[in-house]
Amino acid sequence: MPTTSKRQLTSSRLTFVVTFLVGVTVGVLAIIAFQNFSSQSELSKPDIAQGNGQQTSNSYGNGSSVTKTDDVDQIQSIFEHINAFDQNTMLHMTLSNLSESELKDLWVQSQNIRRKSHRETVQDAIIRKLTTIDPQEALQKIDDVSKFQTNVLLHSVFSEWSVSHLNDAVTAATELPSRRKQVALQAILESRDDLPESERRTIAQQLDGENTFLRLVSDSKASQSIANPMESWDILLSDDVDDSLQTESLQIVTEAWREQVGFEVLSSIFQADIDDSRVKQQLVRSTAQVDLAGALNYTRGLPEEEQQFLSRFIVIEWANADAKSALDAVATFEPASLASQLADMTAYIWARTKPNEVIENIDLIPEEFRIDTLESVYWNIASKDPLEAIARISAAENYVGNTSTIVQRIVSVWSSRNPDAAVEWVVSQYDQENPLRRQLLEDVLPELASVDPEKAFEIAIAQPVPNEGLGLEHLVIRVITRENNTELALKFLPRVHENSKGYAYTLVAEAMVRDQRPKEALALATELDESQQQFFHHQVFDEWAEAFPKRLLESLDGLALDTHKSQAAFQLIFNNRFEPVLTNEQIDHAKTFLNSDDTARLKRFEEL
């Protein structure tokens, strides 16, 4: 090297060294000055919770004696006077000289910092510093914080630990619960990317997280190729990682790809061999966000299947962001059949996300979708406040001729929240001649029967019975028997209307069979006329054959009538075809009880 060049190089090095030393000196002096200023200033403490006034002595590594309150004050002062970069510098400089016991004391005091961002920043710094001294102690401290902060601190502990003592960190991670173990693994793999892939993979296998390792490796390779998004795309889709675990990475790649080729990337998403359709949908929606109108316009003229898929999820995204604009856009979309589907979907999303806004703009909804949209609107309002929904029904009357279906949706939601109030409203609002009263009570009474069966039955039995059909009391008895309140159901039976008698008695008899009281169940048939008994016995034997087939088989010979024996045997044999429980010998024994009609009927079933 020429002498002149050597002199220039020596001069440059000298200049650099001098500059560096001056900078360090200025920095240290600035820190010392700030610390002195902080300790002497009367600082406001808006972010510090008021303690009990007790102060205990503590010493920093520099020998100055301060109280624990001063510890927090000094830390807090860092956030009150300087920019974010210097905050971190000052914070780590302050903690660097503390001993383990001082760090533990400061950790306890840090929980008094009210401002969440400041508290979490300080605690993360303390945990990192404590990890360099006693990582096991740092690990235990994590349980002192909010569960929302646990993973962040856990990541910090294992990031530090894996750099200083990798083997110890891995060993400690193996003893963690599954979710924490995966957080620790990710921290280790990210911090120790200097290790060979084979070693990192071995660590991942030790911690039951090989997929985490594969995902990080794939993400790294995709990141290195991001200048060519298509290459990054292929890397992510051809790896051994489930695509659903790489949605965020795929979104980054598709955004970079869109910047190069525009919305043609949507076609690539559609055509991609992605193993989870939800990932495809999310990629379409996130890609379209930057220009929803442009994205939808791109789909015009595409092949039918591709157009339907892409436009659907673009419009879903648009409807959630601005349903009015989405409706305007799809109004001119082609083909008309697809435009209609998209408009219906937009109206439904609008009704779900902003129901009150829909009521004020119902004229914007195409007429053929208004009633369905309004039903959704009022259902959503009623799920929060049924009385508000009821009060606003008049707003829909100008746009739909009949609001009965809307009222039904409101009462249906209301009855699940407060069936007693819903019933009271129905019976006070509609007289007995109004058919809507019965329709609404059919929704409400089963809900009321679960909380107040006595009241539900009294309201049901008081309602008129149609010429054809059942009385409403059968709805109450059905709920009571399903909830195993058989004795109460038996109490109600004598009062049921004649139209409901056969069905109500059958419900109770089936419940008694489930309670292993088959003889008492069969005795109820004496209260029914002959036309009702056939249905009754069929249902009771079917329930018995399903619940206790072997007991029914043993009871066949003891049944009073041959017709009942045949009926019961038929149900046993028929049910056994679908849920085999009985042996061939037992089935043959059951067949001996069949009469000629049931034998022929069974043969027809067997031939099917």
Side-chain angles (χ1 to χ4, degrees):
M1 180 183 296
T3 304
T4 303
S5 299
K6 288 183 179 180
R7 289 176 180 172
Q8 290 174 344
L9 180 57
T10 301
S11 176
S12 298
R13 287 176 176 171
L14 182 59
T15 301
F16 171 81
V17 170
V18 171
T19 303
F20 175 79
L21 291 175
V22 169
V24 170
T25 302
V26 170
V28 171
L29 289 173
I31 291 169
I32 293 171
F34 174 77
Q35 288 178 320
N36 290 336
F37 176 81
S38 300
S39 62
Q40 295 171 8
S41 297
E42 288 296 322
L43 300 176
S44 62
K45 292 177 269 297
D47 293 334
I48 306 300
Q50 295 299 314
N52 58 13
Q54 295 179 345
Q55 297 181 349
T56 55
S57 178
N58 183 34
S59 297
Y60 277 162
N62 60 12
S64 62
S65 179
V66 295
T67 64
K68 287 186 177 180
T69 301
D70 288 339
D71 293 351
V72 180
D73 289 350
Q74 185 166 2
I75 293 296
Q76 182 61 39
S77 67
I78 292 173
F79 296 101
E80 294 175 358
H81 291 277
I82 47 182
N83 59 52
F85 176 81
D86 289 338
Q87 285 173 9
N88 285 323
T89 302
M90 285 293 299
L91 178 59
H92 288 88
M93 284 288 292
T94 301
L95 298 180
S96 65
N97 293 322
L98 298 187
S99 66
E100 181 176 351
S101 62
E102 291 167 342
L103 287 167
K104 290 178 184 178
D105 288 342
L106 189 57
W107 171 262
V108 173
Q109 295 302 309
S110 71
Q111 297 176 44
N112 293 327
I113 300 176
R114 283 183 177 171
R115 184 166 167 181
K116 180 175 177 290
S117 61
H118 289 176
R119 182 176 65 254
E120 292 181 355
T121 298
V122 170
Q123 290 180 335
D124 186 74
I126 294 171
I127 281 290
R128 283 183 175 275
K129 174 59 180 175
L130 186 56
T131 300
T132 66
I133 301 172
D134 187 345
Q136 289 287 1
E137 182 68 26
L139 195 57
Q140 292 178 14
K141 294 296 183 189
I142 291 177
D143 291 328
D144 296 343
V145 301
S146 162
K147 292 186 182 297
F148 292 98
Q149 194 184 354
T150 298
N151 285 352
V152 174
L153 294 182
L154 191 66
H155 192 284
S156 295
V157 167
F158 281 91
S159 293
E160 293 286 347
W161 201 351
S162 64
V163 171
S164 58
H165 298 92
L166 176 61
N167 292 337
D168 291 345
V170 173
T171 300
T174 60
E175 299 173 0
L176 295 174
S178 179
R179 290 186 179 180
R180 288 194 173 192
K181 185 186 296 183
Q182 293 311 304
V183 174
L185 171 60
Q186 183 150 340
I188 293 169
L189 294 178
E190 289 174 350
S191 299
R192 294 310 307 266
D193 56 354
D194 59 311
L195 299 174
E197 279 193 13
S198 58
E199 186 173 349
R200 295 170 75 218
R201 187 168 195 157
T202 299
I203 292 171
Q205 291 169 340
Q206 284 180 256
L207 299 180
D208 305 321
E210 189 169 14
N211 279 339
T212 300
F213 163 77
L214 294 173
R215 177 174 56 81
L216 290 175
V217 169
S218 185
D219 283 355
S220 177
K221 292 178 180 178
S223 175
Q224 293 169 9
S225 303
I226 196 63
N228 183 356
M230 187 183 297
E231 184 178 335
S232 296
W233 179 259
D234 290 339
I235 289 170
L236 294 173
L237 294 187
S238 62
D239 58 22
D240 295 326
V241 183
D242 191 322
D243 295 331
S244 64
L245 301 176
Q246 295 180 296
T247 304
E248 186 176 351
S249 299
L250 287 166
Q251 286 176 329
I252 293 171
V253 172
T254 53
E255 175 57 23
W257 203 352
R258 185 199 60 77
E259 291 175 356
Q260 290 186 3
V261 302
F263 286 117
E264 288 180 20
V265 71
L266 291 172
S267 293
S268 297
I269 296 172
F270 172 76
Q271 294 161 11
D273 184 19
I274 295 177
D275 52 26
D276 189 334
S277 63
R278 292 170 299 179
V279 175
K280 268 192 179 184
Q281 297 165 15
Q282 183 57 41
L283 292 175
V284 171
R285 293 178 63 176
S286 62
T287 302
Q289 282 177 352
V290 294
D291 181 4
L292 292 161
L296 186 61
N297 190 57
Y298 169 78
T299 68
R300 293 178 186 269
L302 291 176
E304 181 180 358
E305 184 181 359
E306 182 177 345
Q307 183 188 44
Q308 286 185 346
F309 180 86
L310 294 177
S311 62
R312 175 180 175 79
F313 292 105
I314 292 168
V315 170
I316 286 175
E317 188 66 24
W318 202 341
N320 278 286
D322 186 351
K324 287 185 187 179
S325 298
L327 276 176
D328 288 341
V330 301
T332 60
F333 202 69
E334 295 291 343
S337 58
L338 179 55
S340 179
Q341 294 175 27
L342 296 175
D344 187 19
M345 183 178 66
T346 302
Y348 173 78
I349 292 172
W350 197 8
R352 178 172 54 82
T353 55
K354 297 180 180 179
N356 289 313
E357 189 174 282
V358 174
I359 293 176
E360 297 166 2
N361 296 276
I362 190 62
D363 56 311
L364 300 180
I365 304 293
E367 190 171 347
E368 64 267 32
F369 305 132
R370 283 181 187 172
I371 186 64
D372 288 343
T373 302
L374 286 171
E375 286 176 10
S376 296
V377 162
Y378 283 93
W379 187 92
N380 280 290
I381 295 174
S383 65
K384 297 177 181 177
D385 188 344
L387 290 175
E388 180 188 352
I390 291 293
R392 301 197 66 177
I393 289 178
S394 59
E397 292 174 350
N398 295 330
Y399 296 96
V400 291
N402 187 340
T403 59
S404 61
T405 58
I406 295 174
V407 173
Q408 283 183 281
R409 296 296 295 273
I410 295 172
V411 170
S412 176
V413 178
W414 196 356
S415 64
S416 66
R417 290 166 54 93
N418 188 343
D420 191 63
V423 165
E424 292 294 339
W425 183 82
V426 171
V427 297
S428 66
Q429 190 73 17
Y430 301 97
D431 57 39
Q432 291 192 343
E433 287 70 36
N434 192 321
L436 185 56
R437 176 183 175 121
R438 179 181 174 89
Q439 293 173 20
L440 296 175
L441 287 177
E442 286 177 349
D443 285 336
V444 180
L445 285 176
E447 298 287 349
L448 183 60
S450 291
V451 295
D452 191 345
E454 298 270 3
K455 181 175 181 178
F457 185 81
E458 294 302 329
I459 292 174
I461 203 71
Q463 306 308 310
V465 181
N467 294 330
E468 296 183 2
L470 304 176
L472 293 178
E473 67 272 17
H474 83 277
L475 298 173
V476 178
I477 290 177
R478 184 173 63 188
V479 171
I480 294 172
T481 54
R482 284 180 178 175
E483 296 183 352
N484 300 317
N485 198 345
T486 309
E487 294 306 315
L488 182 60
L490 281 167
K491 171 186 168 183
F492 290 152
L493 278 184
R495 296 177 59 196
V496 300
H497 292 106
E498 190 64 30
N499 291 30
S500 304
K501 199 171 183 181
Y503 187 63
Y505 272 73
T506 300
L507 287 172
V508 177
E510 288 174 336
M512 296 178 78
V513 168
R514 292 192 294 273
D515 290 343
Q516 301 188 48
R517 300 160 61 186
K519 290 184 179 180
E520 295 176 67
L522 290 172
L524 292 177
T526 59
E527 303 295 325
L528 304 175
D529 59 38
E530 189 174 343
S531 64
Q532 296 170 325
Q533 285 186 14
Q534 185 171 1
F535 172 76
F536 175 91
H537 284 109
H538 175 273
Q539 293 299 112
V540 170
F541 288 134
D542 181 54
E543 186 70 33
W544 197 352
E546 183 177 337
F548 307 105
K550 292 183 179 179
R551 292 184 186 178
L552 176 56
L553 180 68
E554 295 167 357
S555 303
L556 286 176
D557 199 39
L559 295 177
L561 300 176
D562 288 343
T563 54
H564 294 167
K565 294 176 183 179
S566 181
Q567 255 187 310
F570 178 86
Q571 287 304 138
L572 267 176
I573 298 166
F574 183 78
N575 288 9
N576 197 71
R577 295 179 63 195
F578 302 99
E579 294 184 26
V581 174
L582 305 178
T583 65
N584 291 335
E585 290 77 11
Q586 289 172 321
I587 292 295
D588 289 340
H589 176 64
K591 286 181 177 180
T592 64
F593 292 92
L594 296 176
N595 59 31
S596 57
D597 288 342
D598 285 329
T599 299
R601 188 156 63 107
L602 182 62
K603 185 176 181 180
R604 288 195 298 272
F605 277 114
E606 290 175 343
E607 290 173 350
L608 292 176

